[in-house]
């Protein structure tokens, strides 16, 4: 992992993770679009424009949305996938464009577990989809339903082995599709998080009980993915650092498992929170999750990114400059303004050269300094 240099704003210093140099610390997190019109998991023009605009807008890293490693792992039937070659080929068009704009591309590999088979946005309030309306049976660590959803089937040994192999195969296709890095989704109440949290994992076998057992699925996935992507490609893991519920998953357990995941081959940790319990009381405010990234980074010496209502360039600059995070993920801010990174560079006087040549005549220095 490269150390920050001394020149210019910290948010716009490059960072190197394994063999990949990323031009700045303004990153796009996975943002589910629920926009696969053919319902076959294949990304299309919307994904090219959505992700490509953020790359052209100056982001250092653009991570594609939670992408299912199997059909039954989708959140909804409008989700993208990476379980077949047609999907990989469609993604390759998108990664080529992102790279052409100077940004790095990542993909979040995911399995929704008990939170699968739900109506896509904006129909989510209807809960899980009935099986006779396009839904499918769901799986989890234990037969414990998410609030308002159908009861899942507890995975047996063969089912767990299939999940690990599905992540392995999807990772191989991610390489073939031209992604620069892979992220394993272990957050937001989805399958890997369901195994991690004692609130959803009630097993008494080698996949449940102790923290080591509850973390076993994640660590096996990390090892499998690392074996597929080789030694040069970075491997990220996204964690929810807390369930926001007493007796649930928390930042101390996260820190222990982050250290284990580093040993298993992961490089960088994308720290979010919540998602396992529907009724959790979450004190949402600007930067409300950033201190969890700082906590994990301090306790593990791992590289971490912060996310969560961070919309101000100077706020993000402080997080990186003070060593509280190595990068910042901007979700809704990027959706509102795909050129947020260029705007932030202007506000911080970064003097970067990341503007697309087609837009150079609109640079502030060419227009009396006004954005």
């Amino acid at each position: 992992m490269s150390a920050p240099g001394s020149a210019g704003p910290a948010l716009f210093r490059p960072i190197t993770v394994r063999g990949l140099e990323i031009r700045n610390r303004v990153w796009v997190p996975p943002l589910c679009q629920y926009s696969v019109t053919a319902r076959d998991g294949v990304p299309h023009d919307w994904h090219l424009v959505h992700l490509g605009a953020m790359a052209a807008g100056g982001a250092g890293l653009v991570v594609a949305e939670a992408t299912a490693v199997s059909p039954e792992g989708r959140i909804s039937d409008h989700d993208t996938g990476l379980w077949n070659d047609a999907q990989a080929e469609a993604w390759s068009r998108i990664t080529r464009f992102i790279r052409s704009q100077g940004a790095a591309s990542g993909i979040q590999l995911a399995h929704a577990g008990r939170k699968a088979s739900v109506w896509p946005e904006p129909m989510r309030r209807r809960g899980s989809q009935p099986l006779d309306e396009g839904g499918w049976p769901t799986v989890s660590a234990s037969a414990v339903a998410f609030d308002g959803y159908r009861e899942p089937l507890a995975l047996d040994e063969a089912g767990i082995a299939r999940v690990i192999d599905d992540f392995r195969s999807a990772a191989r296709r991610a390489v073939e599709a031209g992604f620069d890095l892979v992220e394993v989704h272990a957050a937001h109440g989805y399958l890997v998080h369901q195994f991690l949290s004692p609130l959803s994992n009630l097993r008494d076998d080698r996949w449940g009980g102790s923290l080591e057992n509850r973390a076993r699925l994640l660590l096996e996935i990390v090892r499998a993915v690392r074996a597929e992507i080789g030694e040069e490609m970075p491997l990220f893991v996204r964690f929810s650092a807390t369930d926001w519920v007493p007796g649930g998953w928390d930042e101390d357990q996260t820190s222990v498992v982050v250290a284990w995941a580093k040993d298993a081959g992961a490089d960088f940790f994308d720290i979010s929170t919540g998602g396992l319990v529907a009724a959790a009381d979450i004190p949402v405010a600007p930067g409300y999750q950033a201190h969890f990234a700082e906590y994990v980074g301090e306790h593990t010496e791992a590289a971490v990114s912060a996310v969560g209502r961070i919309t101000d360039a100077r706020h993000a600059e402080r997080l990186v400059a003070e060593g509280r995070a190595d990068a910042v993920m901007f979700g809704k801010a990027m959706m509102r303004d795909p050129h947020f990174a260029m705007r932030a560079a202007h506000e911080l006087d970064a003097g970067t050269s990341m503007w697309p040549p087609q837009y150079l005549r609109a640079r502030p220095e060419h227009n009396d300094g006004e954005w």
Side-chain angles (χ1 to χ4, degrees):
M1 188 71 56
S2 64
S6 58
L11 198 60
F12 286 92
R13 297 172 193 161
I15 182 171
T16 300
V17 187
R18 288 210 180 219
L20 177 67
E21 181 176 271
I22 304 172
R23 63 183 173 184
N24 61 46
R25 320 298 181 95
V26 181
W27 294 358
V28 180
L31 300 166
C32 287
Q33 298 298 291
Y34 304 105
S35 188
V36 177
T37 55
R39 301 187 180 185
D40 55 5
V42 175
H44 54 87
D45 288 351
W46 173 259
H47 301 88
L48 173 66
V49 174
H50 160 67
L51 298 169
M54 296 172 182
L61 169 65
V62 178
V63 184
E65 65 195 80
T67 296
V69 299
S70 64
E72 61 274 16
R74 292 172 294 169
I75 302 168
S76 80
D77 60 4
H78 285 53
D79 286 25
T80 55
L82 200 49
W83 65 80
N84 64 42
D85 294 341
Q87 294 160 349
E89 178 58 32
W91 280 118
S92 67
R93 175 187 177 217
I94 296 167
T95 62
R96 284 194 298 270
F97 182 81
I98 291 173
R99 186 176 297 107
S100 76
Q101 300 306 301
S105 63
I107 189 164
Q108 185 185 68
L109 301 181
H111 191 301
R114 70 179 187 175
K115 293 178 76 175
S117 188
V118 299
W119 296 99
E121 298 285 3
M123 303 158 62
R124 184 63 52 78
R125 63 183 177 275
R126 296 171 64 180
S128 61
Q129 293 185 54
L131 295 178
D132 59 358
E133 293 188 33
W136 57 91
T138 60
V139 297
S140 187
S142 302
V144 179
F146 184 71
D147 187 35
Y149 291 16
R150 70 173 64 92
E151 183 178 298
L153 175 70
L155 283 164
D156 59 14
E157 285 281 347
I160 291 172
R162 281 194 300 273
V163 167
I164 296 167
D165 194 57
D166 287 339
F167 273 91
R168 184 197 315 275
S169 298
R172 183 182 68 251
R173 290 191 174 93
V175 174
E176 294 168 354
F179 283 100
D180 295 306
L181 64 86
V182 169
E183 177 173 274
V184 172
H185 199 355
H188 299 164
Y190 297 119
L191 183 63
V192 179
H193 187 180
Q194 291 159 30
F195 270 82
L196 291 172
S197 177
L199 300 178
S200 49
N201 187 342
L202 308 182
R203 303 174 74 101
D204 58 6
D205 61 3
R206 70 191 188 105
W207 304 97
S210 68
L211 179 59
E212 182 180 13
N213 284 352
R214 285 183 279 119
R216 190 182 305 278
L217 176 63
L218 170 63
L219 300 180
E220 290 296 324
I221 289 171
V222 168
R223 294 185 186 104
V225 170
R226 172 55 67 200
E228 286 296 328
I229 66 177
E231 293 301 316
E232 288 299 306
M233 180 179 282
L235 173 53
F236 287 29
V237 179
R238 176 167 253 197
F239 281 100
S240 283
T242 178
D243 289 336
W244 296 104
V245 175
W249 184 253
D250 60 26
E251 59 268 37
D252 290 323
Q253 294 173 83
T254 301
S255 297
V256 172
V257 177
V258 161
W260 293 344
K262 283 177 63 180
D263 291 342
D267 304 298
F268 202 105
F269 301 91
D270 176 7
I271 306 299
S272 185
T273 67
L276 189 90
V277 178
D281 185 14
I282 302 176
V284 176
Y288 72 103
Q289 297 176 138
H291 69 281
F292 290 104
E294 181 180 7
Y295 184 96
V296 172
E298 285 182 349
H299 284 76
T300 63
E301 298 185 353
V304 296
S305 58
V307 68
R309 298 291 177 94
I310 302 170
T311 61
D312 180 78
R314 288 179 173 81
H315 181 192
E317 170 65 15
R318 290 193 300 273
L319 290 173
V320 177
E322 294 169 5
R324 297 165 61 193
D326 296 277
V328 177
M329 296 280 193
F330 297 88
K332 292 183 176 66
M334 281 285 188
M335 287 196 287
R336 287 190 289 266
D337 178 6
H339 301 124
F340 176 85
M342 292 194 295
R343 181 189 296 275
H346 173 63
E347 290 180 12
L348 298 174
D349 195 24
T352 64
S353 58
M354 61 194 182
W355 282 64
Q358 297 90 336
Y359 285 5
L360 287 177
R361 64 182 180 276
R363 287 180 65 167
E365 57 265 40
H366 295 175
N367 293 274
D368 299 323
E370 294 185 5
W371 180 261

